[in-house]
Amino acid sequence: RAMMPFAQMKLQGVGTEKDPAAAVPYLEKLAAAGNANANEMLGTMALQGIGMEKDPVKAGRHLTQAARTGDDSSTFILGQMYLKGVGVEKDTELGLRLITQSANAGNFQAMLNLAMILANGSDDVSQDSQQAYRWITIVLNRAPQGELFYGASGIETTLRSRLSSRQIEAAQAEASRFMATPIKPAVR
């Protein structure tokens, strides 16, 4: 029971010296027992090289385990990894599906990321300014003010210039009906 709080104390340096590497063995034990938070933390640490060498493949494994439990944050990060082919084989369709699941679960960062992907389009993703505007509207209406909110404001201005008033109204109507739906854990 005390492993997670101790690991978090070591990661953050609360009440003890900050030492992310010392948290790793505790997190690994918790992850092996199926703890989604430990898997997410280890995945993020491996992806960024915090407390261990950068290891995108290890990050992908841990984030996959956490995402299977329905963790929307891990699902979002894993989706980004698939889009870019970092630590996993590039799979744009799967990446978009994972980011969309996370956005549908209410993850504002995933919503903003999805809006930017749809607003810009790419070789692999069709541009869809109306759907991008829908996601931006949800962020602007529901996310707490801060960096994410202000980033969405800038994108909203750009998207507004691309859309007709009818498209804006349709996107706003869709956004007003949005209800977050938790990601269902995968069957093991």
Side-chain angles (χ1 to χ4, degrees):
R1 288 187 179 179
M3 281 195 272
M4 182 57 84
F6 181 74
Q8 290 174 325
M9 288 170 56
K10 283 298 199 181
L11 281 171
Q12 299 165 2
V14 176
T16 184
E17 183 179 329
K18 185 175 181 175
D19 185 1
V24 172
Y26 297 100
L27 292 172
E28 286 175 340
K29 285 178 186 174
L30 289 164
N35 184 297
N37 290 335
N39 271 305
E40 180 187 6
M41 293 168 81
L42 285 168
T44 303
M45 292 168 70
L47 193 59
Q48 297 175 5
I50 297 171
M52 62 180 79
E53 293 290 321
K54 272 188 180 184
D55 187 343
V57 173
K58 182 177 184 177
R61 283 194 309 266
H62 282 292
L63 291 167
T64 297
Q65 290 303 313
R68 284 184 178 152
T69 68
D71 182 77
D72 66 270
S73 180
S74 297
T75 301
F76 167 58
I77 297 166
L78 191 60
Q80 290 182 308
M81 292 173 70
Y82 274 104
L83 277 181
K84 299 171 186 172
V86 174
V88 294
E89 188 172 331
K90 183 176 179 173
D91 186 334
T92 303
E93 186 178 321
L94 178 57
L96 277 175
R97 191 167 62 241
L98 291 170
I99 292 169
T100 301
Q101 280 181 340
S102 182
N104 281 326
N107 184 305
F108 294 122
Q109 184 64 48
M111 291 178 193
L112 180 60
N113 188 263
L114 185 58
M116 292 184 338
I117 291 167
L118 293 171
N120 297 320
S122 68
D123 293 340
D124 300 329
V125 180
S126 298
Q127 185 181 31
D128 188 339
S129 295
Q130 187 170 332
Q131 280 303 304
Y133 195 83
R134 171 186 177 252
W135 287 114
I136 287 297
T137 300
I138 295 167
V139 172
L140 290 173
N141 289 334
R142 299 184 186 190
Q145 287 198 2
E147 186 177 322
L148 188 72
F149 178 87
Y150 294 112
S153 296
I155 296 166
E156 189 264 352
T157 302
T158 302
L159 289 170
R160 188 175 274 281
S161 70
R162 294 183 193 168
L163 298 169
S164 69
S165 2
R166 180 171 281 159
Q167 289 173 308
I168 290 170
E169 288 172 16
Q172 289 173 332
E174 280 185 54
S176 71
R177 292 188 296 272
F178 174 79
M179 296 292 290
T181 49
I183 299 170
K184 292 182 178 162
V187 177
R188 293 185 183 215

